[in-house]
Amino acid sequence: MTRNDIRRSESPQRVVLTSLAQLLLRWRYVILVPIALVYLSTLVFLTSRQNNLDVANQPNFYAQKRKYTEARISRSECSFCKEENIPNLDLVVPQAGGNTCRSIQLMAASEMKGSDKCAILQKEERVCCPRSYSPTKTIFVISLQGTPGAHESNQGRLDLFKEKWRMACGSDSDSTNIEHCPAAFDKRRGYGLTLAWIMCLWRARQLDEEVAIFLEDDARLFENSTQEFCDVDKRGELLSKLPSDTFLAFLGGHTWSYEDSAVPYRRVRNSYGTYGFLVPRNSIDDFYAALKHGLIHGSKDRKQNVHHNSLDPEPNFYRAAREHHKKIYAFNPLVVWHEGGYSNTWGKTRGDITGLETQKQGIKVSSGMSNTNKRSVTKSRDGVDYSSTLRLRTTKGVIEEEQESMHLQPLASGGGGSHSQPEIKKEGGSREGEEVLERTE
Protein backbone atom coordinates (compact mmCIF):
# COMPACT_ATOMS: atom_id res chain seq x y z
CA MET A 1 0.00 0.00 0.00
CA THR A 2 1.40 3.33 -1.06
CA ARG A 3 1.67 6.46 1.15
CA ASN A 4 -1.16 8.12 -0.72
CA ASP A 5 -3.36 5.14 -0.08
CA ILE A 6 -2.55 5.40 3.66
CA ARG A 7 -3.49 9.12 3.72
CA ARG A 8 -6.74 8.42 1.95
CA SER A 9 -7.58 5.75 4.52
CA GLU A 10 -7.07 8.21 7.54
CA SER A 11 -10.17 9.80 9.12
CA PRO A 12 -10.90 13.48 8.48
CA GLN A 13 -10.68 14.25 12.25
CA ARG A 14 -7.17 12.92 12.49
CA VAL A 15 -6.09 14.96 9.48
CA VAL A 16 -7.42 18.14 11.09
CA LEU A 17 -5.69 17.50 14.40
CA THR A 18 -2.43 16.72 12.68
CA SER A 19 -2.59 19.88 10.62
CA LEU A 20 -3.42 21.93 13.73
CA ALA A 21 -0.48 20.47 15.61
CA GLN A 22 1.86 21.29 12.77
CA LEU A 23 0.48 24.82 12.66
CA LEU A 24 0.94 25.33 16.40
CA LEU A 25 4.44 23.95 16.26
CA ARG A 26 5.38 26.27 13.43
CA TRP A 27 3.73 29.38 14.96
CA ARG A 28 4.13 28.48 18.66
CA TYR A 29 5.65 31.78 19.77
CA VAL A 30 3.10 33.86 17.94
CA ILE A 31 0.11 31.95 19.35
CA LEU A 32 1.14 30.55 22.76
CA VAL A 33 2.91 33.60 24.19
CA PRO A 34 -0.16 35.93 23.98
CA ILE A 35 -2.32 33.19 25.50
CA ALA A 36 0.15 32.80 28.37
CA LEU A 37 0.22 36.56 28.96
CA VAL A 38 -3.57 36.76 29.10
CA TYR A 39 -3.66 33.88 31.57
CA LEU A 40 -1.01 35.40 33.85
CA SER A 41 -2.59 38.85 33.85
CA THR A 42 -5.95 37.32 34.73
CA LEU A 43 -4.36 35.35 37.57
CA VAL A 44 -2.67 38.47 38.97
CA PHE A 45 -5.95 40.43 38.84
CA LEU A 46 -7.93 37.75 40.65
CA THR A 47 -5.25 37.31 43.32
CA SER A 48 -5.09 41.05 44.01
CA ARG A 49 -8.86 41.24 44.28
CA GLN A 50 -8.94 38.38 46.76
CA ASN A 51 -6.26 40.07 48.90
CA ASN A 52 -8.30 43.26 49.02
CA LEU A 53 -11.34 41.30 50.14
CA ASP A 54 -9.29 39.61 52.86
CA VAL A 55 -8.06 42.97 54.18
CA ALA A 56 -11.60 44.33 54.21
CA ASN A 57 -12.91 41.28 56.03
CA GLN A 58 -10.06 41.02 58.55
CA PRO A 59 -8.93 44.56 59.42
CA ASN A 60 -8.00 43.71 63.00
CA PHE A 61 -5.60 40.97 61.96
CA TYR A 62 -3.66 43.18 59.58
CA ALA A 63 -3.77 46.15 61.96
CA GLN A 64 -2.32 44.04 64.77
CA LYS A 65 0.33 42.64 62.46
CA ARG A 66 1.28 46.15 61.35
CA LYS A 67 1.38 47.44 64.94
CA TYR A 68 3.55 44.50 65.97
CA THR A 69 6.02 45.18 63.14
CA GLU A 70 6.11 48.91 63.84
CA ALA A 71 6.60 48.32 67.55
CA ARG A 72 9.52 45.98 66.93
CA ILE A 73 11.16 48.43 64.51
CA SER A 74 10.71 51.50 66.72
CA ARG A 75 11.39 49.59 69.96
CA SER A 76 8.17 50.99 71.46
CA GLU A 77 6.39 47.74 72.25
CA CYS A 78 4.18 47.61 75.31
CA SER A 79 6.16 46.63 78.39
CA PHE A 80 4.80 44.22 80.99
CA CYS A 81 7.02 43.53 83.98
CA LYS A 82 10.58 42.35 83.60
CA GLU A 83 10.73 38.58 83.37
CA GLU A 84 13.11 38.36 86.31
CA ASN A 85 10.59 40.35 88.40
CA ILE A 86 7.74 37.87 87.85
CA PRO A 87 7.89 35.33 90.69
CA ASN A 88 5.53 32.89 89.00
CA LEU A 89 5.10 33.04 85.21
CA ASP A 90 2.40 30.36 85.34
CA LEU A 91 0.26 32.24 87.88
CA VAL A 92 -3.33 32.49 86.62
CA VAL A 93 -4.42 36.14 86.84
CA PRO A 94 -7.89 36.51 88.44
CA GLN A 95 -10.68 37.70 86.13
CA ALA A 96 -8.39 37.59 83.08
CA GLY A 97 -10.04 34.80 81.12
CA GLY A 98 -7.66 32.11 82.40
CA ASN A 99 -4.55 33.93 81.18
CA THR A 100 -1.29 33.53 83.06
CA CYS A 101 1.40 36.11 83.67
CA ARG A 102 3.41 34.51 80.88
CA SER A 103 0.60 34.73 78.32
CA ILE A 104 -0.22 38.33 79.27
CA GLN A 105 3.43 39.27 78.87
CA LEU A 106 3.44 37.74 75.37
CA MET A 107 0.25 39.60 74.47
CA ALA A 108 1.76 42.87 75.68
CA ALA A 109 4.81 42.36 73.46
CA SER A 110 2.55 42.51 70.36
CA GLU A 111 0.97 45.83 71.42
CA MET A 112 2.37 49.31 71.05
CA LYS A 113 3.24 51.43 74.06
CA GLY A 114 0.43 53.85 74.90
CA SER A 115 -2.36 51.88 73.23
CA ASP A 116 -5.62 51.20 75.05
CA LYS A 117 -4.97 47.46 75.12
CA CYS A 118 -1.48 48.03 76.51
CA ALA A 119 -2.95 50.05 79.38
CA ILE A 120 -5.44 47.26 80.14
CA LEU A 121 -2.72 44.61 80.19
CA GLN A 122 -0.40 46.69 82.36
CA LYS A 123 -3.06 46.85 85.07
CA GLU A 124 -2.26 43.19 85.83
CA GLU A 125 1.34 44.06 86.75
CA ARG A 126 0.14 44.48 90.32
CA VAL A 127 -0.66 40.74 90.33
CA CYS A 128 2.27 39.39 88.30
CA CYS A 129 5.12 41.57 89.53
CA PRO A 130 4.13 43.30 92.77
CA ARG A 131 6.79 45.78 93.76
CA SER A 132 7.65 47.28 97.08
CA TYR A 133 6.41 50.86 97.20
CA SER A 134 8.89 53.17 98.88
CA PRO A 135 7.22 55.94 100.89
CA THR A 136 7.06 59.41 99.34
CA LYS A 137 8.59 61.76 101.89
CA THR A 138 8.52 65.07 99.97
CA ILE A 139 5.62 67.43 99.37
CA PHE A 140 6.07 70.41 97.07
CA VAL A 141 4.19 73.51 98.23
CA ILE A 142 3.49 76.26 95.69
CA SER A 143 3.79 79.67 97.31
CA LEU A 144 4.42 83.31 96.39
CA GLN A 145 5.92 84.01 99.80
CA GLY A 146 9.08 86.03 99.22
CA THR A 147 8.34 86.62 95.51
CA PRO A 148 8.95 90.26 94.50
CA GLY A 149 5.82 91.99 93.18
CA ALA A 150 3.37 89.51 94.75
CA HIS A 151 0.37 90.73 96.74
CA GLU A 152 1.16 91.51 100.38
CA SER A 153 -1.21 88.78 101.61
CA ASN A 154 1.27 86.18 100.35
CA GLN A 155 3.78 87.07 103.02
CA GLY A 156 3.84 84.35 105.64
CA ARG A 157 1.48 81.98 103.79
CA LEU A 158 4.11 79.23 103.40
CA ASP A 159 4.95 79.52 107.09
CA LEU A 160 1.24 79.30 107.87
CA PHE A 161 0.92 76.15 105.75
CA LYS A 162 3.75 74.49 107.68
CA GLU A 163 2.20 75.52 110.97
CA LYS A 164 -1.22 74.13 109.99
CA TRP A 165 0.40 70.91 108.75
CA ARG A 166 2.17 70.40 112.08
CA MET A 167 -1.06 71.07 113.99
CA ALA A 168 -3.03 68.59 111.86
CA CYS A 169 -0.40 65.83 111.72
CA GLY A 170 1.16 66.11 115.16
CA SER A 171 4.28 63.99 115.62
CA ASP A 172 3.82 62.45 112.15
CA SER A 173 4.57 65.82 110.55
CA ASP A 174 8.32 65.32 111.10
CA SER A 175 8.40 62.41 108.63
CA THR A 176 7.37 64.66 105.72
CA ASN A 177 9.81 66.98 103.98
CA ILE A 178 8.00 70.15 102.84
CA GLU A 179 9.85 71.84 99.96
CA HIS A 180 9.03 75.34 98.83
CA CYS A 181 8.07 75.50 95.16
CA PRO A 182 8.47 79.25 94.44
CA ALA A 183 5.91 80.65 92.04
CA ALA A 184 6.93 83.37 89.62
CA PHE A 185 4.80 86.51 89.69
CA ASP A 186 2.97 86.83 86.38
CA LYS A 187 -0.12 88.94 85.82
CA ARG A 188 -1.36 86.43 83.26
CA ARG A 189 -3.60 83.93 85.03
CA GLY A 190 -2.08 80.46 85.38
CA TYR A 191 1.37 81.22 83.94
CA GLY A 192 3.18 81.70 87.26
CA LEU A 193 1.65 78.50 88.60
CA THR A 194 2.64 76.52 85.51
CA LEU A 195 6.24 77.76 85.68
CA ALA A 196 6.38 76.71 89.35
CA TRP A 197 5.26 73.18 88.48
CA ILE A 198 7.87 72.94 85.73
CA MET A 199 10.65 74.05 88.08
CA CYS A 200 9.70 71.57 90.78
CA LEU A 201 9.38 68.70 88.32
CA TRP A 202 13.15 68.87 87.87
CA ARG A 203 13.56 68.53 91.62
CA ALA A 204 11.08 65.64 91.63
CA ARG A 205 13.19 63.85 89.03
CA GLN A 206 16.29 64.30 91.21
CA LEU A 207 14.56 62.84 94.25
CA ASP A 208 13.24 59.95 92.15
CA GLU A 209 10.35 59.26 94.52
CA GLU A 210 7.32 57.24 93.55
CA VAL A 211 5.10 60.30 93.10
CA ALA A 212 5.45 64.08 93.00
CA ILE A 213 2.91 65.67 95.37
CA PHE A 214 1.92 69.31 94.74
CA LEU A 215 -0.07 71.44 97.19
CA GLU A 216 -0.77 75.15 97.21
CA ASP A 217 -0.03 77.04 100.40
CA ASP A 218 -3.76 77.45 101.11
CA ALA A 219 -4.53 73.71 100.89
CA ARG A 220 -5.67 72.13 104.16
CA LEU A 221 -6.12 68.51 105.21
CA PHE A 222 -9.53 67.04 105.91
CA GLU A 223 -9.61 65.49 109.38
CA ASN A 224 -10.58 62.12 107.86
CA SER A 225 -7.35 62.03 105.83
CA THR A 226 -4.79 62.94 108.50
CA GLN A 227 -4.18 59.35 109.64
CA GLU A 228 -3.44 58.03 106.16
CA PHE A 229 -1.71 61.08 104.70
CA CYS A 230 0.37 62.41 107.58
CA ASP A 231 2.26 59.22 108.34
CA VAL A 232 4.78 58.63 105.58
CA ASP A 233 4.45 54.84 105.68
CA LYS A 234 0.65 54.86 105.61
CA ARG A 235 0.81 57.41 102.80
CA GLY A 236 3.09 55.07 100.86
CA GLU A 237 0.65 52.19 101.39
CA LEU A 238 -2.20 54.35 100.08
CA LEU A 239 -0.21 55.50 97.05
CA SER A 240 0.76 51.92 96.23
CA LYS A 241 -2.89 51.39 95.21
CA LEU A 242 -2.72 53.99 92.44
CA PRO A 243 -3.86 52.48 89.12
CA SER A 244 -0.99 51.91 86.70
CA ASP A 245 -2.63 54.10 84.03
CA THR A 246 -2.73 57.18 86.28
CA PHE A 247 -1.77 60.45 84.58
CA LEU A 248 -2.40 62.39 87.78
CA ALA A 249 -4.62 62.07 90.85
CA PHE A 250 -6.37 65.00 92.49
CA LEU A 251 -6.18 65.29 96.27
CA GLY A 252 -8.86 67.98 96.14
CA GLY A 253 -10.88 70.05 93.71
CA HIS A 254 -14.47 70.90 92.83
CA THR A 255 -17.15 70.74 90.14
CA TRP A 256 -16.47 67.05 89.67
CA SER A 257 -17.70 64.88 86.80
CA TYR A 258 -17.01 61.39 88.13
CA GLU A 259 -17.04 58.21 86.03
CA ASP A 260 -17.36 55.81 88.97
CA SER A 261 -17.44 55.67 92.76
CA ALA A 262 -14.45 53.40 93.33
CA VAL A 263 -12.38 53.56 96.54
CA PRO A 264 -9.73 54.84 97.16
CA TYR A 265 -9.46 56.33 93.65
CA ARG A 266 -12.34 57.20 91.37
CA ARG A 267 -12.03 58.10 87.71
CA VAL A 268 -12.78 61.70 86.79
CA ARG A 269 -14.01 63.05 83.47
CA ASN A 270 -13.68 66.74 84.36
CA SER A 271 -13.03 68.98 87.36
CA TYR A 272 -11.61 72.32 88.50
CA GLY A 273 -9.05 73.29 91.11
CA THR A 274 -5.32 72.46 91.25
CA TYR A 275 -4.61 73.21 94.90
CA GLY A 276 -3.76 69.56 95.55
CA PHE A 277 -2.73 66.72 93.21
CA LEU A 278 0.04 64.22 92.58
CA VAL A 279 1.83 62.83 89.52
CA PRO A 280 3.24 59.25 89.48
CA ARG A 281 6.88 58.88 88.53
CA ASN A 282 6.03 57.13 85.25
CA SER A 283 3.87 60.10 84.19
CA ILE A 284 6.23 62.94 85.07
CA ASP A 285 7.60 63.26 81.52
CA ASP A 286 4.09 63.27 80.05
CA PHE A 287 2.97 65.86 82.60
CA TYR A 288 5.99 68.03 81.82
CA ALA A 289 5.13 67.86 78.10
CA ALA A 290 1.55 68.94 78.89
CA LEU A 291 2.78 71.98 80.83
CA LYS A 292 5.09 73.01 78.00
CA HIS A 293 2.24 72.61 75.53
CA GLY A 294 0.17 75.06 77.58
CA LEU A 295 2.94 77.65 77.72
CA ILE A 296 3.57 77.42 73.97
CA HIS A 297 0.04 77.05 72.60
CA GLY A 298 -2.03 78.86 75.23
CA SER A 299 -5.57 77.92 76.24
CA LYS A 300 -8.68 77.24 74.18
CA ASP A 301 -12.13 78.37 75.25
CA ARG A 302 -15.39 76.55 74.51
CA LYS A 303 -15.45 78.00 70.99
CA GLN A 304 -11.89 76.73 70.43
CA ASN A 305 -10.49 80.26 70.38
CA VAL A 306 -6.87 80.37 71.55
CA HIS A 307 -5.86 82.76 74.35
CA HIS A 308 -2.32 83.61 75.44
CA ASN A 309 -3.23 85.98 78.26
CA SER A 310 -4.39 83.19 80.59
CA LEU A 311 -3.93 79.47 81.10
CA ASP A 312 -6.56 76.98 82.25
CA PRO A 313 -4.47 74.04 83.53
CA GLU A 314 -7.32 71.57 84.10
CA PRO A 315 -8.55 71.28 80.46
CA ASN A 316 -4.90 70.91 79.43
CA PHE A 317 -4.46 68.06 81.94
CA TYR A 318 -7.49 66.15 80.68
CA ARG A 319 -6.45 66.66 77.04
CA ALA A 320 -2.94 65.34 77.75
CA ALA A 321 -4.30 62.32 79.64
CA ARG A 322 -6.40 61.34 76.62
CA GLU A 323 -3.46 61.79 74.24
CA HIS A 324 -1.23 59.56 76.36
CA HIS A 325 -4.01 56.97 76.85
CA LYS A 326 -4.01 57.49 80.59
CA LYS A 327 -6.64 58.39 83.18
CA ILE A 328 -7.14 61.10 85.79
CA TYR A 329 -8.35 60.01 89.22
CA ALA A 330 -9.49 61.71 92.42
CA PHE A 331 -8.89 60.42 95.93
CA ASN A 332 -12.04 58.98 97.46
CA PRO A 333 -12.56 60.43 99.99
CA LEU A 334 -10.86 63.72 99.16
CA VAL A 335 -7.70 64.59 101.09
CA VAL A 336 -7.49 68.40 101.02
CA TRP A 337 -9.75 71.44 100.82
CA HIS A 338 -9.00 75.07 99.90
CA GLU A 339 -8.98 77.62 102.70
CA GLY A 340 -10.46 81.04 102.01
CA GLY A 341 -8.33 84.15 101.67
CA TYR A 342 -6.84 86.38 99.00
CA SER A 343 -6.75 84.59 95.64
CA ASN A 344 -3.78 85.32 93.41
CA THR A 345 -5.70 83.77 90.54
CA TRP A 346 -8.72 86.04 90.80
CA GLY A 347 -7.21 89.09 92.46
CA LYS A 348 -9.70 89.24 95.32
CA THR A 349 -10.67 87.61 98.61
CA ARG A 350 -12.54 84.34 98.25
CA GLY A 351 -14.15 81.74 100.45
CA ASP A 352 -13.48 78.14 101.43
CA ILE A 353 -13.74 75.46 98.74
CA THR A 354 -14.22 71.87 99.87
CA GLY A 355 -15.33 70.10 96.71
CA LEU A 356 -17.68 67.74 98.52
CA GLU A 357 -20.45 66.44 96.31
CA THR A 358 -23.38 65.77 98.64
CA GLN A 359 -24.41 66.37 102.23
CA LYS A 360 -24.04 62.65 102.86
CA GLN A 361 -20.25 62.84 102.65
CA GLY A 362 -19.93 65.02 105.74
CA ILE A 363 -16.12 65.07 105.75
CA LYS A 364 -14.73 66.92 108.74
CA VAL A 365 -12.22 69.74 108.41
CA SER A 366 -9.18 69.06 110.54
CA SER A 367 -9.07 71.36 113.54
CA GLY A 368 -5.37 71.79 112.99
CA MET A 369 -5.84 72.91 109.40
CA SER A 370 -8.91 75.09 109.90
CA ASN A 371 -8.85 78.84 109.44
CA THR A 372 -7.76 80.49 112.68
CA ASN A 373 -5.31 83.11 111.41
CA LYS A 374 -6.38 86.63 110.59
CA ARG A 375 -4.32 86.55 107.41
CA SER A 376 -6.68 83.92 106.03
CA VAL A 377 -10.03 85.22 107.26
CA THR A 378 -12.41 85.52 104.34
CA LYS A 379 -13.22 89.23 104.13
CA SER A 380 -13.80 91.44 101.14
CA ARG A 381 -12.38 94.92 100.80
CA ASP A 382 -15.58 96.42 102.23
CA GLY A 383 -15.59 94.08 105.23
CA VAL A 384 -18.33 91.69 104.06
CA ASP A 385 -17.81 88.01 104.85
CA TYR A 386 -17.74 85.55 101.98
CA SER A 387 -18.20 81.80 102.03
CA SER A 388 -17.47 79.12 99.52
CA THR A 389 -18.62 79.86 96.02
CA LEU A 390 -20.61 76.67 96.27
CA ARG A 391 -23.73 76.51 98.42
CA LEU A 392 -21.86 75.98 101.67
CA ARG A 393 -23.26 74.98 105.03
CA THR A 394 -21.06 74.84 108.15
CA THR A 395 -22.43 73.09 111.22
CA LYS A 396 -20.39 71.90 114.24
CA GLY A 397 -17.16 71.67 112.27
CA VAL A 398 -18.69 69.60 109.47
CA ILE A 399 -18.63 71.15 106.02
CA GLU A 400 -21.23 69.91 103.56
CA GLU A 401 -22.03 71.16 100.11
CA GLU A 402 -24.67 71.00 97.45
CA GLN A 403 -22.66 71.50 94.31
CA GLU A 404 -23.93 73.66 91.49
CA SER A 405 -22.73 74.03 87.93
CA MET A 406 -20.95 77.31 87.35
CA HIS A 407 -19.08 79.16 84.62
CA LEU A 408 -17.50 82.60 84.91
CA GLN A 409 -14.86 84.55 83.04
CA PRO A 410 -11.94 85.22 85.46
CA LEU A 411 -10.03 88.39 86.15
CA ALA A 412 -6.43 88.54 84.93
CA SER A 413 -4.22 88.13 87.97
CA GLY A 414 -0.91 86.93 89.31
CA GLY A 415 0.34 83.36 89.07
CA GLY A 416 -0.90 80.96 91.71
CA GLY A 417 -3.96 78.76 91.97
CA SER A 418 -6.59 77.77 89.46
CA HIS A 419 -10.02 77.79 91.07
CA SER A 420 -12.82 78.49 88.62
CA GLN A 421 -15.34 79.93 91.04
CA PRO A 422 -17.79 82.84 90.68
CA GLU A 423 -18.36 85.65 93.14
CA ILE A 424 -20.82 85.01 95.95
CA LYS A 425 -23.07 87.03 98.18
CA LYS A 426 -24.67 86.49 101.54
CA GLU A 427 -28.20 85.16 101.67
CA GLY A 428 -30.59 86.47 104.26
CA GLY A 429 -32.62 84.42 106.69
CA SER A 430 -29.91 81.95 107.70
CA ARG A 431 -30.62 79.78 110.71
CA GLU A 432 -28.71 79.98 113.95
CA GLY A 433 -25.54 77.89 113.89
CA GLU A 434 -25.53 77.74 110.07
CA GLU A 435 -24.19 80.09 107.48
CA VAL A 436 -25.94 79.72 104.14
CA LEU A 437 -24.66 81.63 101.13
CA GLU A 438 -25.36 81.52 97.44
CA ARG A 439 -23.39 82.47 94.39
CA THR A 440 -24.16 85.32 92.04
CA GLU A 441 -23.03 85.48 88.45
Side-chain angles (χ1 to χ4, degrees), residues 345-362:
T345 301
W346 303 97
K348 59 183 178 182
T349 302
R350 311 208 34 242
D352 296 338
I353 304 171
T354 65
L356 305 184
E357 287 299 309
T358 67
Q359 294 186 356
K360 294 180 181 179
Q361 280 186 276

Side-chain angles (χ1 to χ4, degrees), residues 267-388:
R267 284 174 55 179
V268 186
R269 187 181 299 109
N270 191 45
S271 66
Y272 290 96
T274 57
Y275 49 86
F277 66 92
L278 59 82
V279 182
R281 180 168 54 189
N282 62 358
S283 290
I284 284 181
D285 290 339
D286 297 335
F287 182 64
Y288 174 75
L291 296 178
K292 283 184 61 179
H293 181 276
L295 290 176
I296 295 171
H297 300 285
S299 293
K300 289 184 179 180
D301 58 23
R302 295 178 183 176
K303 296 181 179 180
Q304 299 301 305
N305 297 317
V306 179
H307 301 278
H308 290 279
N309 60 344
S310 65
L311 280 178
D312 291 321
E314 300 94 336
N316 189 28
F317 293 169
Y318 286 96
R319 175 200 56 79
R322 290 190 298 269
E323 288 184 358
H324 292 287
H325 304 281
K326 294 184 178 181
K327 304 296 181 183
I328 290 181
Y329 294 86
F331 279 70
N332 186 21
L334 297 176
V335 176
V336 298
W337 57 284
H338 181 274
E339 187 175 57
Y342 179 82
S343 171
N344 293 289
T345 301
W346 303 97
K348 59 183 178 182
T349 302
R350 311 208 34 242
D352 296 338
I353 304 171
T354 65
L356 305 184
E357 287 299 309
T358 67
Q359 294 186 356
K360 294 180 181 179
Q361 280 186 276
I363 298 179
K364 293 184 179 180
V365 176
S366 170
S367 57
M369 298 293 277
S370 61
N371 189 348
T372 57
N373 191 294
K374 290 183 179 180
R375 286 172 295 185
S376 303
V377 173
T378 311
K379 295 275 187 181
S380 69
R381 294 185 182 91
D382 56 5
V384 178
D385 284 339
Y386 289 103
S387 82
S388 167

Side-chain angles (χ1 to χ4, degrees), residues 27 63 69 93 116 130 133 153 178 319 345 390 423-424:
W27 300 97
T69 304
V93 179
D116 291 337
Y133 206 94
S153 65
I178 297 176
R319 175 200 56 79
T345 301
L390 305 177
E423 186 178 355
I424 45 96

Side-chain angles (χ1 to χ4, degrees), residues 164-203:
K164 295 291 185 74
W165 183 273
R166 284 193 295 269
M167 292 174 63
C169 295
S171 59
D172 290 332
S173 63
D174 296 333
S175 63
T176 297
N177 176 34
I178 297 176
E179 286 207 14
H180 181 199
C181 204
F185 179 72
D186 195 316
K187 290 185 177 181
R188 298 172 298 173
R189 182 175 61 86
Y191 276 85
L193 184 60
T194 300
L195 290 171
W197 288 330
I198 288 176
M199 269 202 317
C200 285
L201 279 177
W202 289 103
R203 176 62 177 155

